[in-house]
Amino acid sequence: MEKIKNALEKAKQQQTGTPAPAKAVVRNQPTKFIEESDDLESIKYDTSAVVELDAAYLESKRIVAVNKHDPASWIFDSLRTQVLQKMEENNWRTLAIVSPTPESGKTFVAINLAISIAQQPLKTALLVDFDLRRPRIANYLGLKLNKSINELLAGNAELEEIMVNPGIPRLTILPTKTPTTKTSETLASKNIQRLVTELRERYDSRIVIFDLPPILTADDAMVLLPQVDCALLVVCDGMNTKDELDETMRLLSKTNIVGVVANKADVEPRAYYY
Ligand SMILES: Nc1ncnc2c1ncn2[C@@H]1O[C@H](COP(=O)(O)OP(=O)(O)OP(=O)(O)O)[C@@H](O)[C@H]1O
Ligand SMILES: [Mg+2]
């Protein structure tokens, strides 16, 4: 934790004018899922395919934000509040989820945060799987895909055809089915630039969350970051060396960091603080 704090302090000194990142701590937590849709306002998805999620499967994948009785879901609501506050203050609408190295919990955080944001009546959330090397969102949610970002990039599908509504009001997923090659070139392409702009500009109330590969193992995140408004950094306590954290913060020096999640930390879930 000390290493993370030091790397952040150092980065904060370099990032003058950028809001101080919010920090959140998520501990290991078994989860239960109880469907709660009665009090949630429904919206119609004329074009998106609607796919109902399986509660037991979600629980096995630690998708906790759907279950309001699970203390772990409160953590994501608290994270949502802090993230949305900073994004609204700055008129930011696109958020990348990043980490120094693999397995930090980016996809876990991205999905749970997107669900939590969608539960706010005035917001919609769009979750995009831009980890083109190791796409996992569809698997975490148990989505069986027909067309996905793969077909969109190949020119074999329209955007509307690949959007999936996973049975949660105000949440849309843009999934990727299979790993692709030349991922950083793809993310730097004009097509992706147009797509990111289109996703951001279509609706004012929409928060777009991009799940990405780790920063230190591929340049994909570094290619996408200049195209998004801000980033949420996910780190695991004890997983990274001081050098890795310093290098990560150096690479993020031009990025608006909206917050830091200390994931898999062995502390009480209420431990949210600035
Ligand atoms: N807070 C947590 N408690 C327990 N397990 C967790 C937690 N967060 C993530 N995990 C588990 O850790 C593994 C890695 O999580 P995840 O896939 O979200 O990481 P990632 O950063 O997206 O990895 P990659 O860089 O490979 O895409 C998964 O099995 C996930 O269920
Ligand atoms: Mg991932």
Side-chain angles (χ1 to χ4, degrees):
M1 204 64 182
E2 203 51 34
K3 277 187 295 188
I4 298 172
K5 243 161 89 178
N6 291 342
L8 282 170
E9 281 308 318
K10 212 165 127 185
K12 217 155 66 177
Q13 283 160 15
Q14 287 161 3
Q15 289 185 318
T16 45
T18 309
K23 281 190 254 173
V25 177
V26 182
R27 68 171 178 175
N28 292 356
Q29 178 82 36
T31 62
K32 284 204 187 79
F33 171 57
I34 297 170
E35 206 162 346
E36 280 207 356
S37 53
D38 296 353
D39 56 341
L40 292 173
E41 174 198 319
S42 285
I43 56 169
K44 277 207 164 81
Y45 289 83
D46 294 334
T47 48
S48 318
V50 179
V51 180
E52 291 300 325
L53 302 180
D54 180 275
Y57 183 80
L58 289 184
E59 184 176 334
S60 75
K61 293 288 182 184
R62 296 178 187 273
I63 307 305
V64 295
V66 277
N67 178 8
K68 287 292 149 213
H69 299 294
D70 189 325
S73 79
W74 308 341
I75 295 175
F76 285 102
D77 289 350
S78 179
L79 178 64
R80 166 193 70 194
T81 303
Q82 295 178 49
V83 166
L84 286 183
Q85 210 169 15
K86 287 215 181 314
M87 291 184 75
E88 272 161 22
E89 274 167 21
N90 294 283
N91 193 26
W92 294 336
R93 298 209 289 269
T94 48
L95 172 73
I97 311 292
V98 295
S99 74
T101 48
E103 300 282 311
S104 307
K106 289 180 298 302
T107 306
F108 160 79
V109 169
I111 296 173
N112 281 298
L113 179 62
I115 292 171
S116 182
I117 288 174
Q119 287 166 346
Q120 286 232 325
L122 298 179
K123 289 285 170 208
T124 63
L126 173 62
L127 177 59
V128 184
D129 197 343
F130 265 177
D131 188 342
L132 302 178
R133 291 164 184 265
R134 209 172 158 224
R136 302 287 292 157
I137 289 176
N139 174 275
Y140 273 38
L141 292 173
L143 301 176
K144 289 184 184 54
L145 301 177
N146 180 17
K147 290 184 172 180
S148 74
I149 287 178
N150 299 104
E151 283 69 29
L152 182 76
L153 291 174
N156 295 329
E158 296 297 324
L159 182 56
E160 286 70 20
E161 284 180 80
I162 66 165
M163 286 186 161
V164 179
N165 164 237
I168 296 171
R170 296 183 294 277
L171 175 64
T172 308
I173 313 285
L174 217 50
T176 297
K177 195 160 50 180
T178 50
T180 59
T181 53
K182 299 196 174 163
T183 51
S184 62
E185 288 87 343
T186 302
L187 291 172
S189 69
K190 281 267 174 295
N191 277 347
I192 292 286
Q193 284 172 26
R194 271 195 293 270
L195 175 65
V196 171
T197 306
E198 152 79 13
L199 296 178
R200 185 186 191 281
E201 300 303 327
R202 177 86 66 102
Y203 303 107
D204 282 358
S205 63
R206 183 193 267 171
I207 300 293
V208 190
I209 298 177
F210 298 96
D211 191 22
L212 288 167
I215 283 191
L216 298 180
T217 56
D219 59 351
D220 298 29
M222 295 314 296
V223 167
L224 192 80
L225 284 171
Q227 304 181 53
V228 299
D229 296 328
C230 56
L232 179 67
L233 177 62
V234 180
V235 283
C236 283
D237 199 16
M239 187 186 257
N240 295 115
T241 63
K242 182 179 175 303
D243 284 354
E244 284 173 339
L245 291 170
D246 284 348
E247 177 62 1
T248 300
M249 298 317 289
R250 191 187 67 75
L251 290 170
L252 291 175
S253 61
K254 291 200 169 69
T255 303
N256 297 314
I257 303 175
V258 79
V260 179
V261 176
N263 193 30
K264 305 187 191 181
D266 191 15
V267 293
E268 288 302 311
R270 62 177 168 69
Y272 271 86
Y273 47 86
Y274 283 98

